[in-house]
């Protein structure tokens, strides 16, 4: 009776026993980190409605828009921490997280430009970079996923700080501070965009070499 487990664990025809290696438990797509990411997408239309309420000049609604933007931005910091701490990193999260960031940042920039408070050229430069990076991710997705880099995170923080300064109903004396923050955000936006281009080209080249070797 005791021999049965040993025989079952032995490799047939090998004359030896093989330890059974436990399979890694797959990370479910529906987890806390991804739910936080999705909540950021849900907050975007609420933020836009608050921003345009009262023609964008009502102090109460402007404060509400700023609060919603701050909450949504906070989830961006929390979801990544939760994913890393509890091992909830998924391919869906790697794709959805930057898309949620871009939706929030894009809505804020377009809204501010539509209200005449931010030059359209600023919004266009940032939009081209963000859309380009998203297309790059899908361009190389068959070879792998490009995770958010530290530079990308710094860029996002700079954009959040600059947008928050523009959203707040501050006096005209604060305008130079807004320009400085937005200028820093623009510089990081362009530099990290070029970095993503390099990383995407390298990842695609490595994937093609691996495919060629395997074939």
């Amino acid at each position: 009776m005791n021999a049965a487990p040993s025989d079952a664990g032995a490799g047939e025809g090998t004359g030896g026993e093989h330890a059974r290696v436990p399979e890694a438990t797959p990370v479910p797509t529906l987890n806390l980190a991804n739910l936080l990411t999705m909540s950021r997408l849900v907050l975007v239309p609420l933020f836009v409605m608050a921003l345009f309420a009262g023609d964008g000049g009502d102090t109460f609604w402007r404060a509400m828009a700023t609060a919603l933007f701050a909450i949504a931005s906070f989830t961006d910091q929390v979801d990544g921490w939760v994913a890393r701490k509890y091992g909830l990193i998924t391919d869906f999260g790697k794709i959805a997280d930057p898309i949620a960031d871009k939706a929030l940042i894009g809505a804020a920039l377009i809204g501010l430009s539509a209200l005449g408070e931010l030059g359209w050229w600023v919004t266009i430069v940032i939009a081209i970079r963000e859309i380009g990076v998203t297309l790059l991710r899908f361009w190389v997705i068959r070879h792998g996923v490009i995770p958010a880099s530290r530079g990308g995170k710094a860029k996002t923080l700079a954009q959040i700080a600059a947008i928050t300064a523009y959203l707040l109903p501050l006096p005209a004396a604060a305008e130079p501070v807004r320009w400085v923050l937005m200028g820093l955000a623009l510089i990081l936006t362009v530099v990290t965009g070029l970095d993503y281009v390099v990383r995407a080209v390298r990842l695609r080249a490595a994937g093609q070499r691996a495919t060629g070797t395997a074939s």
Side-chain angles (χ1 to χ4, degrees):
M1 296 296 292
N2 293 334
S6 297
D7 292 339
E12 185 176 349
T14 62
E17 295 185 358
H18 297 282
R20 181 173 296 176
V21 179
E23 295 182 359
T25 303
V27 179
T29 300
L30 188 62
N31 59 56
L32 179 58
N34 288 341
L35 286 175
L36 286 169
T37 298
M38 298 307 294
S39 71
R40 189 155 66 258
L41 286 170
V42 172
L43 287 172
V44 170
L46 299 178
F47 158 72
V48 172
M49 287 188 291
L51 179 60
F52 282 96
D55 294 327
D58 186 89
T59 302
F60 171 78
W61 284 110
R62 198 56 178 259
M64 286 294 296
T66 305
L68 288 170
F69 181 80
I71 293 171
S73 300
F74 180 70
T75 66
D76 178 39
Q77 307 306 310
V78 176
D79 62 5
W81 177 82
V82 169
R84 291 188 297 272
K85 182 174 177 62
Y86 297 102
L88 300 177
I89 298 174
T90 62
D91 283 345
F92 171 82
K94 292 178 181 178
I95 294 295
D97 180 65
I99 289 177
D101 294 342
K102 290 168 177 53
L104 177 63
I105 298 297
L109 293 172
I110 292 173
L112 289 170
S113 293
L115 291 172
E117 300 178 25
L118 181 67
W120 275 106
W121 71 270
V122 175
T123 297
I124 291 172
V125 168
I126 295 178
I128 289 175
R129 185 272 188 196
E130 303 299 351
I131 294 173
V133 167
T134 300
L135 293 176
L136 281 173
R137 289 178 182 275
F138 286 106
W139 182 54
V140 300
I141 196 168
R142 60 175 296 198
H143 303 292
V145 176
I146 306 176
S149 64
R150 291 183 179 179
K153 287 295 183 181
K155 176 269 305 178
T156 300
L157 288 174
Q159 290 178 348
I160 289 172
I163 291 171
T164 301
Y166 273 87
L167 289 173
L168 287 170
L170 300 174
E175 200 65 20
V177 176
R178 290 170 170 167
W179 293 342
V180 170
L181 290 175
M182 189 57 74
L184 175 61
L186 279 171
I187 292 172
L188 290 174
T189 295
V190 174
V191 171
T192 55
L194 295 175
D195 174 65
Y196 271 104
V197 172
V198 173
R199 293 170 65 193
V201 171
R202 288 177 177 173
L203 178 59
R204 185 176 176 84
Q208 289 177 336
R209 286 196 299 270
T211 303
T213 302
S215 61

